[in-house]
Amino acid sequence: MTLPRGKDFRPPWPLRSGHIQTMLSSSGVRRQLLPRAARTVQQGAEEVVVDGGDGVRLTGAYTAQKVQPQARGLAVLFHGWEGSVDSTYVLQTGSRLLADGWDVFRLNFRDHGDSHHLNEALFHSCRIDEIVYALADIARRWPAQPMVLAGFSLGGNFALRAALRAPALNIPLRYALAVCPIIDPGEGLFSLEEEAPWFYRAYFMHKWRRSLKAKQAAFPQQQYFELAELDQDLRGLTEALVVRHTDFDSLQAYLDGYSVADSALKAMQIPATILTARDDPVIPVGAFERLELPPNIELDIAEFGGHCGFIRGMDMTSFTDDYIAARFNAIATD
């Protein structure tokens, strides 16, 4: 079986702009133009709460396939920072996998997808333990095999870290795929602040501030931040919340805490794929080129695609759907 590669993605002009790809990837325009088939994963979805360990509760949505007598397996999807199980790219990928005969589980991270009221402590990117624990709970409750995992952006980072831990915890994960994952958070934060156009910062900061205000409203007895802190830039607000709400003694220690840069993935035991684009304006490609990877991890750097875009044309569908489905289907037929 010949699997699609990043080099196969050759979008028409003007979709060869990484900025246009990135802006369209989660835009309202794309959501409106997507074909109805890209939303089928929401039909009949069971909204559930899964166990994140130590009293942590995370929300998600499970959809059983109906196209063949037995599912190919269970596909778990992780959204990006300030996304949710209903983000456009999650719905589109989930719907494609459902049509191919996969049961699909879409997981919300803490404080994402209107789940701010479930856990008193704030979300941060080093909360990998609860994600791995939730993955174990999902595998136990929906045991279709094989179990495969895909994540986007920060969700891709979480997917890679979860895959690193899965074998030691007897989680039956067979394969992981990360689309435009955060590799070196320190470099990524600097790039977003210093090199990326201002509108990316404005977009992320607007969503983050809105989320923090929702958290404060859910737990009014807590003081998660001071109003003046919300006026800080990305680095300043991150540092303020790290000092206030984590055990890390510095911003850099926190950023290092969820890094998968350099040789961090050399211990990966299961097959994995990392797909990114050279024109991604959010996550610098240099961090990918410096990775020291074992033979079971495929690194695929496309020329085009932006940040989690890979949009093929005016129908707003994404090359990543075929890319992920082909690799998942190959695992199912092994």
Side-chain angles (χ1 to χ4, degrees):
M1 176 187 296
T2 301
L3 297 174
R5 299 274 301 164
K7 66 182 181 181
D8 300 326
F9 178 63
R10 307 290 295 183
W13 185 92
L15 293 179
R16 293 195 177 188
S17 163
H19 294 302
I20 290 178
Q21 285 279 343
T22 301
M23 288 185 288
L24 284 176
S25 65
S26 57
S27 70
V29 172
R30 183 184 183 197
R31 184 175 284 263
Q32 291 298 318
L33 292 177
L34 276 174
R36 184 173 299 177
R39 302 181 181 89
T40 55
V41 74
Q42 291 177 303
Q43 298 171 11
E46 176 188 359
E47 296 184 2
V48 297
V49 175
V50 295
D51 185 4
D54 293 329
V56 174
R57 294 175 296 163
L58 302 177
T59 62
Y62 170 77
T63 312
Q65 66 85 32
K66 298 177 181 178
V67 299
Q68 43 188 55
Q70 184 174 343
R72 286 181 185 264
L74 177 67
V76 181
L77 303 178
F78 289 172
H79 59 76
W81 184 42
E82 293 304 329
S84 77
V85 298
D86 292 323
S87 290
T88 301
Y89 52 91
V90 175
L91 294 180
Q92 183 173 298
T93 301
S95 296
R96 169 58 192 276
L97 294 170
L98 197 69
D100 276 9
W102 291 86
D103 292 340
V104 177
F105 193 98
R106 297 169 285 140
L107 180 70
N108 274 321
F109 298 149
R110 178 194 295 238
D111 296 346
H112 289 72
D114 298 325
S115 67
H116 300 79
H117 64 287
L118 285 180
N119 305 285
E120 191 166 350
L122 276 177
F123 169 82
H124 62 72
S125 298
C126 290
R127 294 195 184 277
I128 184 62
D129 289 346
E130 63 195 48
I131 300 303
V132 173
Y133 204 101
L135 202 60
D137 189 36
I138 293 165
R140 177 182 59 81
R141 293 167 64 179
W142 295 280
Q145 291 293 319
M147 182 186 200
V148 292
L149 171 63
F152 302 82
S153 193
L154 179 61
N157 172 283
F158 269 101
L160 292 171
R161 286 184 289 152
L164 270 171
R165 297 184 178 208
L169 298 174
N170 296 317
I171 299 172
L173 184 64
R174 287 272 304 279
Y175 175 72
L177 195 154
V179 178
C180 300
I182 295 172
I183 298 296
D184 184 340
E187 181 178 297
L189 182 66
F190 176 82
S191 173
L192 190 59
E193 251 190 353
E194 304 295 335
E195 299 177 22
W198 66 270
F199 45 81
Y200 293 120
R201 296 190 299 278
Y203 172 79
F204 284 118
M205 291 302 291
H206 170 73
K207 296 189 76 173
W208 192 18
R209 290 177 179 126
R210 184 176 62 186
S211 177
L212 289 170
K213 290 176 181 178
K215 187 71 172 184
Q216 187 63 76
F219 294 95
Q221 73 278 12
Q222 290 288 347
Q223 184 179 14
Y224 292 105
F225 52 84
E226 298 191 14
L227 288 178
E229 291 173 341
L230 290 185
D231 293 329
Q232 298 188 75
D233 59 14
L234 178 60
R235 181 178 293 267
L237 181 55
T238 303
E239 185 165 19
L241 295 181
V242 165
V243 170
R244 187 187 294 264
H245 295 290
T246 77
D247 295 328
F248 295 98
D249 57 10
S250 69
L251 174 60
Q252 189 59 53
Y254 164 71
L255 296 173
D256 290 343
Y258 67 102
S259 173
V260 291
D262 301 323
S263 61
L265 296 174
K266 289 188 78 171
M268 181 80 79
Q269 296 179 34
I270 67 173
T273 297
I274 300 171
L275 171 66
T276 192
R278 196 169 296 279
D279 65 355
D280 186 335
V282 176
I283 301 177
V285 72
F288 295 91
E289 294 174 328
R290 292 192 297 271
L291 285 171
E292 301 171 27
L293 300 174
N296 54 307
I297 299 184
E298 172 191 28
L299 174 61
D300 194 356
I301 303 177
E303 289 299 314
F304 308 103
H307 185 65
C308 295
F310 297 94
I311 295 168
R312 288 181 288 213
M314 293 307 296
D315 67 351
M316 295 292 128
T317 60
S318 176
F319 168 77
T320 57
D321 296 342
D322 291 338
Y323 190 95
I324 294 170
R327 281 162 173 74
F328 282 9
N329 292 344
I331 293 295
T333 56
D334 280 352

